[in-house]
């Protein structure tokens, strides 16, 4: 695979990733912003979704949403954009939240909530992890709705309970893992063309490792945060860079750092 150096000349914006190939393992409908950013930096960005998000349909979720609209919850936690998408699809509108306060992890989740609710979340922790949210959450009493992925790890609910709250956890959506990656991604990995693989959640690590075929070369592993990096190391991957901040912009910057070494 031929590679060129950084872009040159005139007023052209710098393209530090020109000639580089980067896999994006987010679900297709959530990959646009990262793909656009990587391509703007000159990379060949290949969408290789390692997970698929499907809506949850359960009596527990229906009951929790009914209680939410009734004003039974003092707070609701949003730990991903997919949870906002679930609210948008299941509620009549943001007014259904009433006076329930909202805590959101991450700029992407907060932005999705702003677009839908037309207001800011009441709490965005400085560290975009569930442990960061638990630390930033105030002490108090009342019910907290934690609508999360079916495979999200335990811990948040216990941390909130330790601060006096009564958390209710329900599955907001389900995560499926593909049996294989798209053809373009498989071929690029097989030919040793991939310079870096990006992971934006622990589940994308698990999905990628499960679907992984033959790989040539030594793609750099870039993770959005410490939880994702820990999952990668659990599967024997060497993590070359972790995004700071834990955003898609941070991931793009981490890719540049990893490939500059």
């Amino acid at each position: 695979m031929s590679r060129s150096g950084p872009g040159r000349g005139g007023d052209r914006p710098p393209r530090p990733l020109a000639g580089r190939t980067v896999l994006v393992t987010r679900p297709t409908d959530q990959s646009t912003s990262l793909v656009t950013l990587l391509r703007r930096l000159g990379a060949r960005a290949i969408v290789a979704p390692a997970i698929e998000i499907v809506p949850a349909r359960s009596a527990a979720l229906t009951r929790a949403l009914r209680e939410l609209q009734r004003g039974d919850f003092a707070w609701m936690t949003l730990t991903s954009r997919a949870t906002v998408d679930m609210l948008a699809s299941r509620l009549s509108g943001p007014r259904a939240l009433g006076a329930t306060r909202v805590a959101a992890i991450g700029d992407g989740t907060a932005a999705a909530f702003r677009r839908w609710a037309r207001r800011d979340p009441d709490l965005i922790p400085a560290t975009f992890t569930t442990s960061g949210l638990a630390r930033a959450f105030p002490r108090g009493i009342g019910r907290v709705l934690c609508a999360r992925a079916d495979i999200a790890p335990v811990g948040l609910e216990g941390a909130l309970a330790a601060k006096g709250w009564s958390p209710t956890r329900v599955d907001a959506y389900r995560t499926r893992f593909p049996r294989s990656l798209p053809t373009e991604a498989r071929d690029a990995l097989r030919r040793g063309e991939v310079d870096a693989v990006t992971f934006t959640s622990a589940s994308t690590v698990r999905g990628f490792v499960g679907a992984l075929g033959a790989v040539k070369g030594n793609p750099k592993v870039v993770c959005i945060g410490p939880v994702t990096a820990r999952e990668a190391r659990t599967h024997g991957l060497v993590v070359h860079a972790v995004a700071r901040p834990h955003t898609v912009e941070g991931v793009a910057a981490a890719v540049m750092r990893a490939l500059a070494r």
Side-chain angles (χ1 to χ4, degrees):
M1 180 180 177
S2 62
R3 293 175 178 167
S4 61
R8 294 179 179 177
D11 297 327
R12 293 177 60 188
R15 292 167 62 83
L17 295 180
R20 302 290 197 170
T21 296
V22 181
L23 289 195
V24 175
T25 60
R26 300 191 104 180
T28 302
D29 62 347
Q30 296 180 14
S31 63
T32 302
S33 57
L34 180 55
V35 167
T36 300
L37 186 52
L38 291 170
R39 288 175 178 166
R40 192 178 299 152
L41 294 169
R44 171 194 176 198
I46 299 176
V47 178
I51 58 171
E52 179 187 3
I53 302 298
V54 296
R57 298 289 178 186
S58 69
L61 177 59
T62 299
R63 183 169 56 251
L65 293 176
R66 190 182 305 125
E67 293 171 343
L68 177 68
Q69 295 175 85
R70 209 165 56 205
D72 291 357
F73 292 102
W75 281 87
M76 179 176 187
T77 61
L78 302 176
T79 51
S80 75
R81 201 188 81 179
T83 310
V84 181
D85 293 341
M86 179 277 294
L87 291 177
S89 68
R90 296 290 302 271
L91 298 181
S92 57
R95 288 186 178 180
L97 291 176
T100 302
R101 287 167 287 178
V102 169
I105 295 179
D107 288 342
T109 304
F113 177 74
R114 288 190 193 96
R115 284 194 298 272
W116 175 66
R118 298 183 180 180
R119 70 176 175 92
D120 289 326
D122 299 277
L123 172 65
I124 304 174
T127 303
F128 298 163
T129 62
T130 52
S131 58
L133 174 61
R135 286 193 298 272
F137 214 82
R139 292 185 178 275
I141 57 173
R143 297 182 67 193
V144 180
L145 177 58
C146 302
R148 307 182 65 192
D150 58 332
I151 60 171
V154 297
L156 174 62
E157 295 78 17
L160 297 182
K163 289 194 167 184
W165 300 98
S166 300
T168 297
R169 173 172 174 160
V170 293
D171 294 343
Y173 55 90
R174 302 188 185 283
T175 306
R176 292 178 179 168
F177 299 102
R179 293 185 177 180
S180 66
L181 299 175
T183 300
E184 184 183 11
R186 291 202 313 270
D187 290 347
L189 287 165
R190 191 179 300 121
R191 291 194 292 259
E193 297 175 353
V194 177
D195 296 289
V197 181
T198 62
F199 297 110
T200 51
S201 68
S203 57
T204 60
V205 175
R206 293 198 288 276
F208 182 81
V209 171
L212 195 59
V215 178
K216 288 186 178 179
N218 186 26
K220 305 288 188 182
V221 172
V222 176
C223 297
I224 196 168
V227 176
T228 305
R230 186 164 59 244
E231 184 73 15
R233 295 186 182 103
T234 297
H235 290 278
L237 301 179
V238 176
V239 177
H240 296 83
V242 178
R244 291 187 177 83
H246 312 316
T247 62
V248 292
E249 291 80 9
V251 171
V255 170
M256 288 190 288
R257 289 200 308 273
L259 295 183
R261 294 169 184 166

